[in-house]
Amino acid sequence: MRVSSHVRNRARGLRRSATVSEQRIWNWLRNRTFRGFKFRRQVPIGHYVVDFYSPSLKLVIELDGKHHETVWMSEYENKRTAYLRSRGIEVVRITNELLARDSFMAEQVIDAAIRLRSE
């Protein structure tokens, strides 16, 4: 599926306006510093934009803020996750709250997901 120019432009805008939590995770993942796997940030896949994506692992890391707790967002995320999984892509979600409260645990969740996808 081709990525529309609208989705591409949205991804560019999201890269420019990264949240503190996104910047923190990006510092872990950028330049192959996390277990040696390449990740990209704010990546368009189909008509969706994912926070972090490793093409070689087919792994998406999503950061979820409070707005992800709303009913409409939950339905949207379920639909998006189903689409990504239909393409063989695994999705791992980390809440901003977990990242702020226990960054070591958030790092362990990412590490476990990478290990599972790389075996």
Side-chain angles (χ1 to χ4, degrees), residues 29-39 54 56-57 114-115 117-118:
L29 298 175
R30 70 186 305 171
N31 299 325
R32 299 181 190 264
T33 55
F34 207 103
R35 292 194 152 267
F37 288 96
K38 173 122 178 109
F39 278 85
S54 172
S56 64
L57 294 171
I114 290 172
R115 275 188 285 120
R117 294 298 283 186
S118 65

Side-chain angles (χ1 to χ4, degrees), residues 2-113:
R2 278 185 54 118
V3 175
S4 72
S5 60
H6 169 74
V7 174
R8 243 189 325 275
N9 290 337
R10 184 166 175 262
R12 283 186 194 118
L14 289 169
R15 282 191 291 273
R16 289 186 192 115
S17 62
T19 67
V20 172
S21 295
E22 288 170 340
Q23 290 171 0
R24 188 172 190 181
I25 296 289
W26 182 235
N27 284 335
W28 292 350
L29 298 175
R30 70 186 305 171
N31 299 325
R32 299 181 190 264
T33 55
F34 207 103
R35 292 194 152 267
F37 288 96
K38 173 122 178 109
F39 278 85
R40 296 169 46 215
R41 65 187 176 110
Q42 302 302 340
V43 179
I45 300 176
H47 54 277
Y48 299 104
V49 177
V50 299
D51 290 338
F52 304 98
Y53 178 58
S54 172
S56 64
L57 294 171
K58 289 193 133 191
L59 177 65
V60 165
I61 308 292
E62 282 292 308
L63 278 172
D64 292 347
K66 285 286 185 190
H67 68 284
H68 287 266
E69 296 173 6
T70 63
V71 172
W72 72 269
M73 188 59 144
S74 178
E75 291 170 1
Y76 171 82
E77 293 295 347
N78 290 339
K79 183 177 167 185
R80 181 170 81 149
T81 297
Y83 170 78
L84 293 169
R85 286 192 174 147
S86 76
R87 297 187 68 181
I89 299 169
E90 186 61 35
V91 178
V92 172
R93 297 190 171 286
I94 297 174
T95 63
N96 287 343
E97 182 183 333
L98 175 64
L99 183 61
R101 188 183 68 238
D102 190 349
S103 65
F104 179 74
M105 179 59 76
E107 188 175 353
Q108 294 303 303
V109 168
I110 294 170
D111 186 58

